[in-house]
Amino acid sequence: MLTTIPQLRPIPTIGPSGPLKSYIGAVRFFFYGQEMLQEGYDKFRGSLFKIPTLTTWLVVGSGDRLIDEIRRAPDENLSPDGATRETFSTDLTLGPDLFDDPFHLEIVRGPLTRNIGAKLADVQDEIIAAFDEFIPIQGDEWTEVTVFDAVMDIVCRASNRMLVGLPLCRNPDWIDLNKRFTIDLVTSAIVLLFLPDSLKPFVAPLLRSIPRGVKRGIKHLEPLIEERLEQKALHGDDWSEKPNDMISWALDVTMDRPRSTEALVRAVLATNSAAIHTTTVSFTFILYELATRPEYIQPLRDEVEAVIKEEGWSKGSVRKLWKVDSFMKECMRVSNAGPVTMIRKVMKDFTFSDGTTVPAGGMIVVPFDPVHTDADHYTDPKTFDGFRFEKMRGNDNENLKHQFASLSVDYVLFGNGRHACPGRFFVANELKVMLSHVLLNYDIKMADERGRPKNWQFGPFGGPNVTAKMLFRRRATSGVT
């Protein structure tokens, strides 16, 4: 543990802090992390506090000022990439190249985001087809589905329609690979999390699921990559039938730098992993809230039907779904989706404006739920108000500020600053189309009628209940599709 580092001593501790007792706090964090974070936030809001883990200290920044300082800190001091590499041991599982040259992030910020409107119809088409396949409804009967599994199947198909297009986005082996890849990354990270750094390089090669996944990916993508390169050599920039997908975008972005088929495959798989996980978790939470708050269904349906009847489906019309956007944002505000966000590794000693120094090697995080349920940020913060953000947009005429994908120190779902989730705009549009599809075409309810299923949490990881079931049936009078 790091209890002997002098700079850490002035930072208040949640849980025991002695050389041996701190391990008790570390074990407690695995099972009661949310409660520890809330305790620290309540006691020390506006300052730093720390929580022990088995291998290091989590230094938690609370309050708007500290969150903003974390956002603005240069990467050479507070590094999100360094945090990801350490938390998920990506150098040992995915390889260091993914972060040494993160061209996949260039793709997400650039061509992927620019093409959301152009490819919206394709994504919507895949959403409709995937719902029909993974929620197969007969007549007017209720159909029971395990929500998380069905949502992951649908999201995987829809995201891959954007990333690799037809027919690969419907290939069963490709879909299975990308669903498994996300799970394998998290599983490997958890295994390595419990090991001392000295042992990780010896154990990581024994975890073969990720290397096997990359090999499966190469089998699917290598023929497509070779074909694109051949057509590029033949037609140059005049190739009018060039597919508009991530393979083409990756080849364009890496045109003037070293690249390999394996590097391109890793980039596609990593992008898929982030897209599938983020959207699956978010939509699962949204469905749980919608199924247990039926009073919101009709107002949301009315908005979707009115907008689509007048304008049809487009990126512009989806942007006008203010109630849908607000409901999604409120669902995620109260979701308690994970214990912490904005994770940064301290690369050099970093001193905050209050004079507190966090030494190199540590981790700085922002608590998720305490920020989102802070009474200084939100009126009646523990109460669910699905149209909270729509009303905020109407009151101050700041239409952009309160959108689902917008960033602020009081809403940290996507992080904040230049390192905020670059795919949040695609995620937002994908979620709106999926939620609109459910509203227009299905009646839903929880299978056990016991209310919203409880989340799971284990140390720094967390998410929605993955075994809960819901009932779907076709609406008697479905609206615009």
Side-chain angles (χ1 to χ4, degrees), residues 44 130 133 143 197 242 263 271 296 327 330 354 363 369-370 406 409 473:
F44 306 111
E133 179 171 340
T143 297
D197 290 342
K242 177 181 175 181
T271 304
Y296 284 97
F327 185 82
E330 181 73 351
D354 65 359
M363 287 283 191
D369 193 55
S406 297
V409 293
R473 77 177 173 193

Side-chain angles (χ1 to χ4, degrees), residues 126 130 134 149-164 168-180 182 272-273 275-277 279-280 430 434:
E126 202 60 37
F134 297 113
D149 292 344
V151 169
M152 180 174 282
D153 285 326
I154 294 165
V155 167
C156 193
R157 284 267 297 269
S159 298
N160 275 280
R161 184 67 177 266
M162 180 75 175
L163 296 177
V164 299
L168 186 56
C169 71
R170 296 182 183 179
N171 182 294
D173 187 69
W174 175 255
I175 295 301
D176 179 70
L177 162 62
N178 281 283
K179 291 193 302 180
R180 290 257 16 123
T182 303
N272 236 320
S273 176
I276 292 169
H277 175 75
T279 314
T280 298
E430 187 178 21
M434 291 172 65

Side-chain angles (χ1 to χ4, degrees), residues 299-317:
L300 291 168
R301 277 178 178 164
D302 290 344
E303 179 185 67
V304 176
E305 289 178 344
V307 170
I308 302 308
K309 182 179 180 180
E310 181 175 342
E311 300 193 24
W313 287 101
S314 69
K315 184 180 177 183
S317 63

Side-chain angles (χ1 to χ4, degrees), residues 14 28 31-40 42 457:
I14 299 300
R28 182 184 169 210
F31 301 100
Y32 300 102
Q34 299 286 8
E35 291 83 353
M36 295 175 75
L37 288 163
Q38 189 65 58
E39 178 187 349
D42 292 341
Q457 184 253 321

Side-chain angles (χ1 to χ4, degrees), residues 84 140 316 371 389 436 447:
T84 301
D140 60 355
V371 171
F389 296 100
S436 297

Side-chain angles (χ1 to χ4, degrees), residues 7 10-11 46 48 65-66 69 350-358:
Q7 296 100 318
I11 301 175
L48 300 170
R65 176 181 56 82
L66 290 181
E69 290 186 35
F350 184 77
T351 302
F352 285 89
S353 60
D354 65 359
T356 305
T357 297
V358 181

